[in-house]
Every structure is written in C-alpha cells, then in structure tokens.
C-alpha cells in the first residue's frame, strides 16, 4: 500500500519534469528575444500624420494586445500549471511521512532502552485511546508510536534499523511507475483508460500533428503564400506586362479569392466604383461595355481591386466597417504577395537564364503606391519629372494644387526639392505653397527620413584578366544608404498604410534593351548584427580562396564591418558571361516603400572572345581579381529615360524587337547572393 502511494506521489513530479524540459529553454529564448527587440533601435517617422495614424502609439491597450498573443498566453498558462503542480507536490510530501522510529518517539538515534520505554510511556499518556478519545490521536498511536516502540525494543529489529535503515533488515530494489493509482489497477475500466491514453498520446496525437503539418505545407509555401497563388502568378506573368497591368495579375492571388463577398457589400462597392473609375484600366470610348465587363468578373476579384483602389485614392475611410476590415486584410497580405510576384518576374525564364525587367519594375512601383497610398495615374510623366507628381503626393499636406504651385517656381521633381538649401525650401513651402510652420516641419521630417542610395558595382572573372564568353562572372555590389537625420534602420513614412512595414530594396542587374534581368536580390538595412555576420563570412571566404594571409583577411573583414556599420550592405552573386560583345547594363536599386528614391547605375561590360579554358560552365570560389572591362557611371536625372519607366498612361503590350548580340552558351547559371540589414549614420 505504501509503495502504491509512493508511486502515485511520483506522478505529479513526472508531469512537472516533462513540462519543464521544453518550457524552461523556450521561455529563456522568448525573454532573450524580447530583450533584444527592446535594445534594437527602430525609428519611425515623427510627423503629425504618422503620429495620428496610431501605428506607433504605445498605449496600455496596445501593449496588452501585443502581449496577448496565442504563444504568450499559452506560455503563461503552462507556467501557472507548473506552479500548481509544485504546490501540490509540496503538500503531498508533507502528508507522506517516512517511518523514523527514533524521531516518532522524540529521541536521538542510538538512545538507550530505558530512554525508549520512558518516552513510550510519556507518549502513551498523551495519545493512548484510554487517555485521549480523539480518533486522530488513536490512529497516530496505533500506526506510529506502537510500531516505533516495537521496532526499537526488539533487539534484532533495532539492529536492522540501525544498520540498514529499516526494521526488517536489508531491502531489495523497488521500482515504481509514475502514474496515478487508478491507472495502476489495470483490471476492468482502469485498464481501458490506460490503454486509450497510451494509444492517444503515442499514436493519435503524433498522427494528428503530422496530418495538420502536411496539409498546411501542401497548401502554403515557407513565406505563407499559397502554392495556388504562385502558380497563378507564374503563368500570368508576361515579359511585356506594362506596370499599369501588374494590378490585374496581383489581384489573382488565391488568398484574395477567399475573401467573403456579402450582399451588403454591393451598394458600397458600386459607390466606390464611381469614385475610382478613372483609375481602372477601362476604355473610355466604350465605357458602358467596359463597366459591364468589369462587373462580370469573379466577385472576389472585383471586390479586391476596388479595395486596393480605395487605398490608392485614400477613400478607404469612407467605407463601411465591414469593408474597412476587408480592406485591412487585403493590405496586410499585400507585401508578401508582392514579394512573391516580384520573384515570379525575375525568375529565370529565357534560354539565357534571365528574368524580365518590365514586369519587375511594375511590381515595385505598385508596392510603392500601395504603401504610400498614391494613385497609379499620378506616376504619369509630367514636364521634367519621369515619376509625375507621385513623389510629392507621398509627402504630408501635399496635394495636386500644391504641386502645381511649386512647379511654377521650377521645382518639378522631388530631387530638386531635396537639393534646395533649407532656407530656400522653407520660403518655397511657406510662402508659395502656403504651409504653416507646423506643416513645414512635418515636410522637413519626412524629407530627412527619405533614403538616399548609392551603388558601387564591380564584375570580374575571379583569378583571370578580363571577361570572356562562358566565364562565371562574380558581381560585387556595395549598396549604401544615407538619410538626412543620420538614421539607417527605420520605418518609412506611411500614414495611410495601417501596418508596420520595413523598408526593402531590390537590386536588379538588367539589360534594358533586351528586357532581361541578369541578377536580382532583396536588400534590407534593418538588422545590423546579421549583416555584419554575413559580410564577415563572405569576405573571409573570398580572401581565403585567393590565398591571402591571416593579417590581410582580418584587415579586409575589419574594413567591411566598418562599412556595414556606416550603412552599407554587400550583395554578391554570379552569372555566366554571354557571347562576345559590348553590353550596356543598368543596375537598379528600387525601394518598395518610397517613391522617387530609386537609383540607377549604368555598367558597361565588355565580353571578349573565348581564348582560355577552365571556367566555362563552372562556379569558381570567390577571390579578389583585377577588374577589367567594367566601367561604372551614375545616370543624371535629366537623362533620357528608357522604356521601363512608369507607363501608366497606356499599355504597351508589344515587345520591342531588339537585335541580340548572339546566342547564349549552354550552362547558364543564375545564382542569387545573400544580404541582411541594420542601423548606421550618415547624411543625405
């Protein structure tokens, strides 16, 4: 009986141990991440519009809602259960008393027989049933005092106890099962319960977890985008897809097809259609037929496109609460869907392993407009600005009328506004535009938040002089970010986008004449630690491959780390050199949040006729080599733009017939580099 009670007492300890094994390290990881997130310096825009949006307001309710996630509540619940188990185990230990004869009689170990009899008589007067009618006293006397006296007065029992710790002598090894007592009685119903428990925990539970995981993994990718969405994007993407038509592909996501369409949505959507009709790709000459064709589409497609147009035209505040919730859901999914759409645009499609530039530019421009809530029509080229008035509309308090006023003072582009002396800009905005001092300060804060990007690109064949056809060309690009306020990692000014959005930049090495993307990579400036680790590893491998000494390697790593801390990121990749000829490439660095902050750098690549062997069709380890045949130059803002600027005035579906330099060799390799991000300082 005592052994059964001891086994039952072990069950809570067993459960406590099983819970503590995963719970303690998981809690430590969560606490470390929370401490690291507090130390991370992420700065958001401080203008009035962003403050009113409430995205960055740290109210008590918002703190509670941020804490009240499923994982956090589960963690708290498990710790509460552990606390209850600890208290229960403590109570059990107090109830289960070990049989100690000397302690029961109130004697020291090794007491004489006279002392034992004297103590027994004293306790008998206190607990004997004839002296004390209390049932508990009677029970204690019979089960403890009498047994202790018998164990110590019998010479053999006393010797066994003093020698082996038990009156019966040496005890054999006892083993128990840490299960409740009712489960140990395996006859009858208890045996069935035990069997069901074993089957449930060992078979059914793992099977359910496996089925759930497999069903979800079969439906979603690692980026939580449906496989059906990727298939649709892949087949709908076209090389001649104009930026104005990217929206038609974007809304075909399977996630958007699952948005509920209610009968009560019909009237508000019709009103919204009238407000945004000019932004839709409708033929005004046959407007009635175009409207009928638009409403004949799948209801989910119609609703999604209208909700996105409501965001672009800043009409979402006029929607009913139900549609506002749907609009927030659409916008919440937009960043990762646009990222996957971008990958479908730059994925190798041609025989040379190149992606398509025209739709890639359109995807980034659509992302910019959604984050900044600027209509696509605002990107039409006007005057000397290839971006139209869209860059101005992202600034606080700017309207089309304000843009026309400052255009009369020959300020037609955002760069011209940024290049002005602060005093001249203050006079322009306060006197010409009519801004108050507070509104002018808001504009200044946003201008100082806008990133200024510089790109340094080199292409070379490692260990060889010059670049020959078929060589594996290594591309190294340093992307440097500066802001007027000295920050590096920061959230963009986006008061009309209801969620936090990190800045991301897309680096594209492209041939604009052939609509080919040779290399693509996403760049982030948010995580400095990860960027330092990545660049240290990359530079070390490069130098080791070239046979540099330890001192040279350490010096190169130190210089690279210093660059990262000052706001630079290293992008590395490889591609196979095409056939002989001179190639005029363009390196695009495009931001997915800001309009008018994109950077283009021209790169002239000279490919010689093949006269050596050893690198054709193979990937060579990274190592420094002399640069040959590469010239880099910055393009001026007033330079004539190519065919891949914003084209929202009309849809040019026909591709240019461009003469190619010749057939590309076999074995084209398209390799993407790696990058991470962070904080630093600098001025615009």
């Amino acid at each position: 009986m005592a052994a059964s009670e001891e086994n039952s007492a072990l069950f809570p300890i067993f459960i406590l141990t099983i819970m503590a094994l995963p719970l303690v390290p998981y809690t430590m990881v969560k606490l470390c991440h929370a401490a690291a997130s507090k130390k991370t310096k992420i700065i958001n825009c401080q203008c009035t519009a962003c403050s009113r949006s409430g995205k960055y307001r740290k109210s008590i309710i918002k703190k509670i809602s941020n804490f009240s996630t499923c994982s956090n509540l589960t963690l708290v619940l498990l710790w509460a259960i552990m606390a209850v188990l600890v208290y229960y185990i403590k109570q059990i230990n107090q109830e289960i008393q070990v049989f100690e004869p000397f302690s029961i009689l109130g004697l020291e170990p090794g007491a004489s027989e006279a002392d034992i009899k004297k103590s027994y008589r004293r306790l008998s007067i206190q607990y004997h049933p004839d002296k004390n009618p209390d049932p508990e006293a009677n029970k204690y006397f019979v089960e403890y005092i009498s047994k202790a006296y018998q164990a110590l007065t019998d010479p053999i029992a006393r010797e066994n106890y003093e020698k082996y710790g038990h009156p019966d002598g040496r005890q054999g090894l006892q083993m128990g099962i840490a299960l409740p007592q009712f489960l140990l009685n395996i006859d009858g119903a208890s045996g069935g319960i035990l069997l069901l428990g074993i089957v449930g925990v060992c078979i059914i539970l793992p099977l359910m977890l496996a089925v759930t995981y497999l069903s979800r993994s079969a439906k979603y990718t690692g980026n939580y985008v449906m496989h059906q969405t990727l298939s649709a994007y892949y087949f709908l993407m076209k090389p001649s897809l104009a930026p104005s038509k990217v929206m038609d592909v974007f809304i075909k996501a399977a996630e958007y097809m699952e948005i509920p369409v209610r009968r009560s949505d019909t009237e508000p959507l019709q009103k919204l259609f009238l407000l945004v009709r000019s932004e839709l790709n409708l033929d005004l000459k046959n407007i009635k037929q175009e409207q009928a064709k638009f409403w004949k589409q799948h209801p989910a497609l119609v609703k999604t496109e209208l909700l996105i147009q409501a965001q672009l035209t800043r009409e979402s505040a006029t929607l009913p609460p139900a549609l506002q919730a749907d609009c927030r859901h659409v916008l919440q999914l937009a960043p990762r869907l646009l990222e996957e759409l971008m990958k479908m645009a730059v994925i190798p499609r041609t025989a040379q392993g190149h992606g398509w530039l025209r739709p890639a530019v359109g995807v980034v421009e659509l992302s910019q407009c959604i984050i900044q809530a600027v209509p696509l029509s605002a990107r039409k080229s006007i005057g000397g600005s290839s971006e139209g008035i869209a860059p101005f509309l992202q600034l606080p308090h700017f309207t089309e009328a304000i843009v026309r006023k400052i255009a009369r003072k020959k300020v037609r582009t955002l760069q011209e506004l940024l290049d002005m002396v602060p005093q001249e800009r203050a006079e322009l905005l306060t006197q010409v535009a009519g801004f108050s001092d507070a509104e002018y300060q808001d504009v200044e804060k946003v201008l100082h938040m806008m990133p200024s990007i510089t790109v340094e690109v080199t292409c070379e064949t490692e260990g060889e002089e010059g670049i020959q056809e078929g060589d594996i060309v290594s591309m190294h690009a340093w992307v440097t970010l500066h802001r007027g306020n000295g920050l590096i990692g920061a959230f963009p000014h986006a008061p009309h986008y209801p969620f936090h959005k990190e800045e991301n930049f897309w680096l594209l090495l492209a041939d604009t004449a052939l609509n080919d993307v040779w290399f693509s990579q996403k760049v982030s400036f948010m995580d400095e630690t990860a960027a330092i680790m990545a660049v240290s590893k990359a530079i070390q491998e490069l130098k080791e491959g070239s046979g540099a000494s330890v001192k040279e390697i350490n010096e190169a790593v130190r210089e690279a780390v210093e660059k990262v801390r000052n706001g630079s990121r290293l992008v590395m990749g490889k591609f196979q050199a095409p056939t002989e000829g001179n190639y005029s490439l363009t390196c695009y660095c495009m931001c997915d949040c800001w309009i008018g902050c994109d950077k283009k750098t021209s790169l002239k690549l000279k490919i010689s006729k093949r006269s050596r062997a050893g690198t054709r069709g193979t990937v060579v380890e990274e190592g420094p080599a002399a640069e040959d045949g590469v010239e880099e130059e910055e393009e001026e803002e007033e330079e004539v733009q190519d065919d891949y600027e914003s084209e929202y005035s009309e849809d040019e579906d026909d591709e240019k017939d461009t003469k190619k330099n010749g057939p590309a060799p076999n074995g084209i390799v398209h390799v993407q580099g790696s990058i991470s991000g962070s904080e630093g300082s600098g001025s615009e």
Side-chain angles (χ1 to χ4, degrees):
M1 180 67 183
S4 299
E5 291 179 357
E6 187 175 353
N7 290 337
S8 299
L10 291 176
F11 180 67
I13 301 176
F14 173 74
I15 295 297
L16 180 65
T17 305
I18 296 299
M19 290 182 61
L21 285 176
L23 188 59
V24 172
Y26 179 72
T27 303
M28 294 178 65
V29 170
K30 291 279 288 185
L31 293 176
C32 292
H33 286 175
S37 63
K38 289 183 179 179
K39 293 180 181 179
T40 304
K41 186 180 179 183
I42 302 298
I43 304 299
N44 55 275
C45 181
Q46 302 295 324
C47 73
T48 305
C50 288
S51 300
R52 282 200 301 260
S53 67
K55 287 191 295 184
Y56 311 107
R57 191 176 302 148
K58 297 181 179 179
S59 62
I60 296 178
I61 296 177
K62 194 164 187 178
K63 289 180 180 179
I64 294 175
S65 63
N66 290 338
F67 175 78
S68 302
T69 60
C70 183
S71 61
N72 289 341
L73 292 178
T74 303
L75 197 64
V76 172
L77 179 62
L78 291 176
W79 275 107
I81 294 174
M82 285 188 62
V84 172
L85 285 175
V86 170
Y87 178 77
Y88 179 69
I89 293 169
K90 185 178 179 182
Q91 295 297 320
I92 289 180
N93 290 336
Q94 291 177 354
E95 294 175 0
I96 299 177
Q97 299 180 5
V98 180
F99 184 71
E100 294 283 352
F102 287 104
S103 177
I104 293 172
L105 296 178
L107 299 173
E108 295 293 334
S112 63
E113 186 174 350
D115 292 336
I116 294 172
K117 291 180 179 181
K118 182 179 179 180
S119 178
Y120 175 71
R121 285 194 296 269
R122 178 176 55 81
L123 293 174
S124 297
I125 295 173
Q126 184 178 356
Y127 292 100
H128 196 277
D130 296 339
K131 304 293 184 180
N132 191 342
D134 187 4
E136 292 293 331
N138 184 15
K139 180 180 178 181
Y140 182 74
F141 180 81
V142 173
E143 294 183 0
Y144 291 95
I145 297 176
S146 297
K147 288 183 179 181
Y149 178 73
Q150 292 175 2
L152 296 178
T153 53
D154 185 357
I156 298 177
R158 180 172 180 178
E159 182 181 359
N160 288 335
Y161 174 74
E162 292 178 348
K163 191 174 182 179
Y164 301 109
H166 197 280
D168 296 333
R170 185 188 299 272
Q171 301 295 304
L173 179 63
Q174 293 183 356
M175 300 182 65
I177 302 176
L179 291 175
Q181 180 62 32
F182 73 93
L183 288 180
L184 296 177
N185 301 325
I186 58 175
D187 55 335
S190 299
I193 295 175
L194 180 60
L195 179 61
L196 289 177
I198 294 175
V199 172
V201 173
C202 299
I203 300 177
I204 298 179
L205 182 60
L207 186 60
M208 291 177 61
L209 294 176
V211 170
T212 303
Y213 172 77
L214 292 176
S215 62
R216 182 173 181 83
S217 61
K219 188 176 181 181
Y220 291 92
T221 64
N223 199 22
Y224 298 103
V225 175
M226 291 185 178
H227 289 288
Q228 187 177 351
T229 298
L230 297 186
S231 299
Y233 284 171
Y234 183 84
F235 289 108
L236 293 174
M237 186 64 64
K238 298 178 181 179
S240 60
L241 192 68
S244 58
K245 295 295 186 181
V246 172
M247 173 78 78
D248 298 335
V249 178
F250 171 62
I251 62 175
K252 299 295 193 306
E255 288 85 348
Y256 290 155
M257 299 295 290
E258 294 181 352
I259 293 179
V261 180
R262 299 172 288 269
R263 291 185 179 182
S264 57
D265 296 339
T266 304
E267 184 177 351
L269 289 177
Q270 290 177 347
K271 293 181 180 179
L272 179 60
F273 173 79
L274 297 177
L275 294 174
V276 303
R277 181 172 55 182
S278 59
E279 297 295 329
L280 302 174
N281 291 320
L282 302 179
D283 186 4
L284 298 180
K285 297 179 180 179
N286 302 313
I287 189 62
K288 292 184 178 181
Q289 292 83 351
E290 289 290 317
Q291 289 184 12
K293 182 179 178 181
F294 177 81
W295 288 104
K296 286 181 180 179
Q297 298 180 97
H298 192 282
L301 294 179
V302 173
K303 182 176 181 178
T304 301
E305 184 169 5
L306 290 177
L307 291 178
I308 294 177
Q309 292 294 346
Q311 165 69 8
L312 298 178
T313 56
R314 304 180 183 180
E315 297 287 347
S316 57
T318 62
L319 299 175
L323 283 181
Q324 286 188 12
D326 292 337
C327 185
R328 287 177 60 89
H329 179 64
V330 169
L331 297 178
Q332 188 176 19
L333 296 175
R336 62 173 177 261
L337 292 178
L338 286 168
E339 181 177 345
E340 295 302 321
L341 186 59
M342 182 69 176
K343 293 177 182 178
M344 292 299 106
V346 299
I347 194 172
R349 301 271 194 152
T350 64
Q352 295 81 14
H354 298 157
W356 296 328
L357 176 62
R358 186 184 179 99
V361 172
V363 172
V364 177
E365 291 180 344
L366 177 60
S367 175
Q368 295 171 354
C369 289
I370 290 177
I371 300 301
Q372 296 297 339
V374 173
L376 297 175
S377 60
R379 303 190 74 115
K380 293 179 181 178
S381 299
I382 297 178
S385 175
S386 60
E387 294 280 355
I389 64 174
F392 289 106
L393 295 182
Q394 69 185 337
L395 301 177
H397 315 299
F398 266 74
T399 61
E400 294 185 17
I402 299 297
V403 176
R404 286 194 294 268
K405 288 182 181 180
I406 64 174
R408 299 191 189 104
K409 298 297 181 179
K410 297 183 179 180
V411 179
R412 297 183 177 86
T413 64
L414 180 62
Q415 190 60 44
E416 292 176 352
L417 183 65
L418 289 169
D419 293 339
M420 295 179 68
V421 178
Q423 184 177 358
E424 295 179 355
R425 186 163 58 234
E427 293 178 357
L428 176 70
L429 296 179
T430 55
Q431 297 179 9
V432 178
F435 286 169
S436 63
D437 291 338
E439 292 173 339
Y440 163 71
Q441 291 298 329
D442 284 344
V443 175
E444 283 294 310
K445 291 176 182 177
V446 175
L447 292 178
H448 289 162
M449 284 289 294
M450 298 185 73
S452 175
I453 298 294
T454 56
V455 182
E456 300 176 4
V457 187
T458 58
C459 294
E460 59 190 12
T461 301
E462 297 173 1
E464 302 287 351
E465 293 184 1
I467 302 176
Q468 297 184 4
E469 56 184 5
D471 285 352
I472 300 301
V473 182
S474 298
M475 189 202 79
H476 299 164
W478 280 100
V479 183
T480 305
L481 183 146
H482 295 286
R483 301 183 200 271
N485 55 13
L487 299 175
I488 297 298
F491 289 118
H493 164 79
H496 300 283
Y497 187 74
F499 304 99
H500 291 186
K501 175 68 175 71
E502 295 183 359
E503 290 178 346
N504 291 309
F505 296 82
W506 282 94
L507 187 71
L508 307 176
L509 183 64
D511 187 341
T512 56
L514 300 179
N515 190 30
D516 288 341
V517 175
W518 291 24
F519 174 82
S520 64
Q521 178 61 47
K522 188 175 75 169
V523 186
S524 175
F525 289 84
M526 301 301 288
D527 191 353
E528 183 180 275
T529 304
I532 290 176
M533 293 176 61
V535 75
S536 300
K537 182 178 179 181
I539 296 299
Q540 184 176 358
E541 291 178 353
L542 279 173
K543 292 299 181 181
E544 288 177 352
S546 64
S549 64
V550 176
K551 184 178 180 181
E552 292 174 342
I553 293 175
N554 293 336
E555 184 64 26
V557 170
R558 194 160 40 247
E559 292 178 0
V561 169
E562 187 63 26
K563 277 189 173 184
V564 171
R565 288 174 177 167
N566 291 331
S568 296
R569 297 293 177 268
L570 176 62
V571 181
M572 302 174 61
K574 296 179 182 292
F575 59 89
Q576 191 168 9
T579 55
E580 177 187 6
N582 295 324
Y583 293 84
S584 296
L585 305 179
T586 303
C587 186
Y588 291 80
C589 188
M590 306 183 70
C591 181
D592 65 351
C593 297
W594 295 95
I595 304 175
C597 296
D598 303 334
K599 186 68 176 180
K600 291 198 303 181
T601 303
S602 63
L603 185 70
K604 293 183 179 179
L605 201 63
K606 182 179 180 181
I607 308 298
S608 305
K609 188 175 181 180
R610 184 143 200 92
S611 61
R612 61 171 179 260
T615 59
R616 182 176 178 86
T618 60
V619 179
V620 186
E621 292 293 331
E622 289 91 353
E627 178 185 350
D628 188 12
V630 180
E631 298 179 4
E632 181 180 344
E633 58 182 9
E634 301 291 335
E635 291 194 357
E636 301 295 335
E637 291 293 335
E638 292 81 5
E639 191 175 0
V640 178
Q641 304 295 325
D642 53 50
D643 292 332
Y644 306 105
E645 297 295 338
S646 303
E647 303 177 16
Y648 293 97
S649 56
E650 58 182 354
D651 180 18
E652 300 179 2
D653 289 326
D654 296 328
E655 289 185 83
K656 283 189 170 184
D657 294 326
T658 308
K659 183 178 180 180
K660 297 185 178 180
N661 293 315
N666 295 329
I668 296 297
V669 180
H670 181 85
V671 184
Q672 290 191 349
S674 62
I675 201 80
S676 355
S678 109
E679 281 179 35
S681 62
S683 57
E684 188 170 355

